[in-house]
Amino acid sequence: MDYFKKLQELLKIEQEEDRASYQQLTATASLNVRRANGLTWYPIAIKDTELGRGDYLTVEVERTTHQDLSHQFRPGVSAVLFSNHDAKKDRVEGTISWQGGNRMKIALRTDELPEWSRDGKLGIDLLFDDNSYDEMQNALKLAATLSEKNEEGRLIKILTGQQKPTFNTELPAFTSPKLNASQQVAVNKILAANDLAIVHGPPGTGKTTTLIQAIKALIKQEHKQILVVAPSNAAVDLLSERLFEEGVNVLRIGNPARVSERLLSLTLENKMAEHSSNKEIKRLKKQANEFRDMAHKYKRNFGKSEREQRKALFDEARNIMKQVDKTEEYIIEDVLNKAQVITATLVGANNYAIRHLKYHTVVIDEAGQALEPACWIPILKAQKVILAGDHCQLPPTIKSNEAARKGLNNTLLEKCVTLHPEAVVLLEEQYRMHELIMGYSSNIFYQDQLKAHASVAQHLLFTEDTPLSFVDTAGCGFDEKQDGTSTTNPEEAAFLFRHLTQLATALGAHYQAANFPTIAVISPYKQQVQLLQELLQHAPVLQNHRNKISVNTIDSFQGQERDIVYISMTRSNTDNKIGFLSDIRRMNVAMTRARKKLVVIGDSGTLSQLPFYADFITYATDRNSYQSAWEFAE
């Protein structure tokens, strides 16, 4: 089918771009640079070893320094254990099976540690993640094949626009005191759907709450296991915790992004460890390790009989590990059978433990941020799919401009909303923003259908405050600075903190330190964010509230909210270039993070070249929310 062939080609372009940027980052990079970029742990210490599945040696390591550095290691990705004595020669590849805090387990493609591992100077390098791409390509190939079949291809045909979804209109209406009217409509749509339902959840509308109640209702209706997936571990964690709080038996496949006792208790590893048959596994593993230890005692320069004895001991260890594998398979099956809901990332839906499972219903949350090829991994396991998200916010990150331009940045959610409006329910009531903050986004992105719940519609920081402010820097000489591909605006950044300092001083009359409002300072540009972070260190009044202030890019702030949000627009030039500010979905994210006060700082002369910004400035002006930066004295 051409549909999937095109997706495969686009995914290949993306993979090649991704690999090229990885190689560029690692080919000539020193160990220190790789470590700073989160691609290397060095130095590490080996804490434990045990024979794992399929004769692979599982090694637990701990990074002993630089523990504050963020990193990109996660379960399922390929990595290599190396010795810095001779990193090109002394290396053995494997797959990360677990990661938590400053420790990780890596399943090495060997059954014993190499000699050089005893000489210190050990590290772990992240390898390029071909696995995720392979899983996506395999799913697309399978989807293309299944799409030709009548029964198995029905859902595929619906999702690709060849058939229409159907609904059972004779079900009794679902009601819940926990949900508002549009949320209840959404749950009823999900329950009635035979194959597809879509929950369009704008910012602050309680999409997660709606999904949780829908999943509970589906369990009651279908009495079947449900797979719930999302593109990121953070989103999977949120759903897992919320479902658990509602009394659902949840099994979390993969590693939580956050380490909390509650989340860890939901993981497959933890449930296996607590299983009654785990004692038998421990006993067998101990036995296998004893045989391995005995085998290791033979010296390297041994004769034929010693070699045979060593081999016999290793063989015995392997035989015992086969029993371990069988017992583990039994435990996994038992844990799986008890789970009402399995949660995982999109690619994690093909984790070895659940790869074989099929489901009546698969729920894909944050579908607006999900790469379409990844969505097909869980979809092919389903008879019915629920897509939830907001295609009016940021799409998934695509590294290849060519792949994005040719359509890889078009999500399945976006396509299905257009193809099947009858399957879509818009959540209309939001619980986050003052109605003035909400108004512009509602008008532009949601056909003016959003309404603010009474609890937030008029909430302010203090009685005399204004919830919305566009501060115009036009004519102030706050010109952007270009350095290669980076864009900054130092004067705008400095002005922002003067403005915020004034506000913080005013807030001091209304709030104690403990209940001081939370503040976010965001910008579309990484370099501007770095500059803002540096300037914050030198803003004396704001240091008293440092724990309440976060500075970040818009992209990394999606899904979050604060009482006060400042946006540094950064662009200000005589050529009226606005770069990727032209992706108005990014601004939809930015403008909908604030609960009680939104301050947008930018140059109207540059921004107004795009109707979206010109109209926003008009919106602010019409509501007495426009100010010139000239009004704020030094």
Side-chain angles (χ1 to χ4, degrees), residues 498-510 516 541-542 545:
R498 289 202 300 276
H499 191 285
L500 178 53
T501 297
Q502 279 187 26
L503 176 62
T505 305
L507 290 170
H510 302 274
F516 198 82
V541 172
L542 299 178
H545 312 292

Side-chain angles (χ1 to χ4, degrees), residues 401-522:
N401 290 332
E402 182 190 354
R405 194 175 63 251
K406 289 181 176 176
L408 192 60
N409 63 346
N410 290 346
T411 62
L412 188 62
L413 174 69
E414 200 170 355
K415 292 175 184 177
C416 286
V417 165
T418 305
L419 287 169
H420 305 301
E422 70 276 24
V424 183
V425 175
L426 176 74
L427 302 181
E428 296 172 353
E429 194 164 20
Q430 64 85 18
Y431 297 81
R432 176 185 298 165
M433 298 163 272
H434 187 287
E435 60 188 8
L436 266 188
I437 299 172
M438 172 200 78
Y440 188 65
S441 277
S442 177
N443 176 262
I444 298 296
F445 296 100
Y446 308 109
Q447 296 77 50
D448 252 341
Q449 291 185 65
L450 287 193
K451 51 183 181 282
H453 185 262
S455 62
V456 301
Q458 297 296 323
H459 65 179
L460 296 167
L461 291 168
F462 51 91
T463 311
E464 314 82 50
D465 194 40
T466 51
L468 176 67
S469 183
F470 175 73
V471 184
D472 190 358
T473 63
C476 293
F478 295 176
D479 294 337
E480 67 185 61
K481 306 284 186 286
Q482 293 286 340
D483 181 10
T485 57
S486 70
T487 305
T488 57
N489 193 323
E491 287 89 356
E492 181 180 289
F495 172 79
L496 184 151
F497 281 117
R498 289 202 300 276
H499 191 285
L500 178 53
T501 297
Q502 279 187 26
L503 176 62
T505 305
L507 290 170
H510 302 274
Y511 294 92
Q512 299 296 317
N515 68 340
F516 198 82
T518 55
I519 302 165
V521 178
I522 57 178

